[in-house]
C-alpha cells in the first residue's frame, strides 16, 4: 500500500535517492517486496526537497505526477541534476474508491509560515472505514483552507490536515505524527505509516506496515523497504515513532 522514503544528510541528487540501489524506490513501484494488498505502486509518485544555499533553511520544492514513476523519463533527467540535503519521495497505490489524480500523489506540503519551516508529509497505508471516520477527522483537522493539500480527495489528506494543524499549534515534527496516529487509530482501524521532513529533521511512524532505517556516517535514510542489500538497514518495530536529525541521531520510541 504505497512506498516512501526520507533522506537527511550531505548533498545528494534526487536520482541517487530514488533510482540507485538494487531495490530502489523506482524498483518498488513495479516489484515491491514487503507491500500489503497490492502488486504495483503505479498510481502516481512525488518528490519533495529543500532548495537553498549553505546555511539557508531551504525552499520546499515539489514534483508530483499521477502516473507510474517508470513512465516519466523527464523526471529522471531532472532528478540527475537536482541536489538536496533533505527529501521525501513517495509512490502511490490508489485505494479503491479514491481517484488516480495528481492532487492525491504525495508528499503533501505545508508552506513555511513565520518562523515555521515548510514541511513534507507522506502516508503509507489506508483508513479502513474512512466513511465512518471522515466527519470526525474533518473536525480534528480544522481549517483546511490553511493547507490546500489537505483538501485532496483521498483519506491521507485528512491525516495530513490533522498533522499540519498540530504543527501550527506548536507540536514538534514527530510529536504531531504520533498524536495524529493515536487520534485516527482510535476512530478506525488501518495502516498508519507516516513520514515527515522539515529540512533539518525527519520523523516517521510505523503502524501496520514495514519501515527501515539506515545511518551511514553523516546521513539518515528512512524507507518502507531496504533500497539495497546493505546490512545497515534496521527494521523499526511496529507501533513506533522515529525521529532523526544529524546532531542527535535516530531515536525510536513506542507508540
Amino acid at each position: 500500500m504505497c512506498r516512501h522514503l526520507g533522506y537527511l544528510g550531505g548533498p545528494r541528487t534526487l536520482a541517487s535517492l530514488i533510482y540507485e540501489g538494487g531495490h530502489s524506490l523506482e524498483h518498488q513501484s513495479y516489484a515491491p517486496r514487503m507491500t500489503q494488498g497490492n502488486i504495483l505502486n503505479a498510481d502516481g509518485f512525488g518528490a519533495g526537497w529543500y532548495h537553498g544555499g549553505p546555511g539557508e533553511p531551504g525552499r520546499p520544492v515539489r514534483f508530483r505526477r499521477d502516473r507510474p514513476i517508470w513512465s516519466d523519463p523527464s523526471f529522471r533527467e531532472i532528478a540527475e541534476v537536482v541536489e538536496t540535503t533533505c527529501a521525501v519521495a513517495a509512490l502511490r497505490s490508489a485505494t479503491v474508491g479514491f481517484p488516480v489524480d495528481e492532487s492525491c500523489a504525495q508528499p503533501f506540503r505545508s508552506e513555511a509560515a513565520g518562523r515555521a519551516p515548510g514541511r513534507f508529509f507522506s502516508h503509507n497505508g489506508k483508513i479502513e472505514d474512512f466513511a465512518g471516520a471522515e466527519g470526525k477527522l474533518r473536525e480534528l483537522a480544522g481549517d483546511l483552507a490553511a493547507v490546500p493539500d489537505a483538501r485532496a480527495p483521498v483519506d491521507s489528506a485528512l491525516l495530513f490536515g490533522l498533522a499540519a494543524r498540530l504543527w501550527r499549534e506548536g507540536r514538534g515534527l514527530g510529536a504531531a505524527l504520533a498524536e495524529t496516529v493515536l487520534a485516527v487509530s482510535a476512530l478506525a482501524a488501518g495502516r498508519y505509516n507516516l513520514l515527515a521532513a522539515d529540512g533539518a529533521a525527519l520523523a516517521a511512524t510505523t503502524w501496520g506496515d514495514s519501515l527501515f532505517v539506515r545511518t551511514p556516517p553523516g546521513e539518515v535514510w528512512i524507507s518502507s523497504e531496504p533500497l539495497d542489500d546493505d546490512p545497515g538497514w534496521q527494521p523499526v518495530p511496529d507501533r513506533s515513532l522515529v525521529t532523526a536529525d544529524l546532531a542527535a541521531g535516530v531515536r525510536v520510541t513506542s507508540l
Side-chain angles (χ1 to χ4, degrees):
M1 202 63 208
C2 309
R3 303 280 83 180
H4 56 206
L5 71 81
Y7 171 78
L8 181 68
R12 280 185 171 272
T13 65
L14 292 180
S16 72
L17 303 178
I18 295 170
Y19 295 98
E20 291 184 4
H23 194 63
S24 67
L25 189 68
E26 182 208 24
H27 191 265
Q28 293 172 39
S29 66
Y30 56 84
R33 292 185 291 186
M34 299 179 181
T35 192
Q36 300 185 41
N38 63 295
I39 298 174
L40 298 174
N41 295 291
D43 297 319
F45 71 94
W49 65 95
Y50 292 85
H51 176 75
E56 298 179 10
R59 175 190 172 195
V61 181
R62 183 177 57 177
F63 184 103
R64 297 188 295 172
R65 286 289 182 266
D66 60 356
R67 57 194 287 184
I69 192 170
W70 71 73
S71 71
D72 195 335
S74 294
F75 172 69
R76 183 164 190 160
E77 186 173 336
I78 293 169
E80 290 172 352
V81 298
V82 172
E83 285 193 341
T84 186
T85 59
C86 184
V88 170
L91 308 172
R92 183 172 185 233
S93 175
T95 300
V96 174
F98 297 111
V100 177
D101 185 86
E102 185 173 303
S103 68
C104 300
Q106 297 178 56
F108 296 137
R109 177 178 58 190
S110 66
E111 300 291 352
R115 299 180 61 184
R119 295 180 173 95
F120 291 113
F121 172 99
S122 176
H123 170 217
N124 167 24
K126 64 180 294 187
I127 300 174
E128 294 292 349
D129 181 19
F130 179 66
E134 182 179 6
K136 183 60 176 178
L137 276 174
R138 289 188 179 277
E139 179 183 328
L140 291 173
D143 182 12
L144 299 184
V147 277
D149 283 353
R151 294 179 287 179
V154 64
D155 56 351
S156 303
L158 290 180
L159 300 182
F160 169 61
L162 175 53
R165 193 209 87 199
L166 296 170
W167 287 328
R168 292 195 305 275
E169 293 176 355
R171 308 298 200 283
L173 187 70
L177 296 191
E179 192 168 335
T180 296
V181 169
L182 294 176
V184 69
S185 63
L187 298 174
R191 297 196 294 276
Y192 303 117
N193 277 36
L194 309 183
L195 174 63
D198 66 5
L202 300 174
T205 61
T206 55
W207 194 285
D209 215 324
S210 61
L211 192 72
F212 290 78
V213 172
R214 188 168 73 93
T215 56
E219 297 181 338
V220 177
W221 297 70
I222 298 177
S223 180
S224 297
E225 304 179 16
L227 305 176
D228 51 35
D229 294 326
D230 189 318
W233 289 103
Q234 298 297 313
V236 179
D238 193 31
R239 301 199 174 193
S240 294
L241 169 68
V242 180
T243 55
D245 60 59
L246 297 181
V250 174
R251 300 165 299 284
V252 179
T253 56
S254 174
L255 290 173

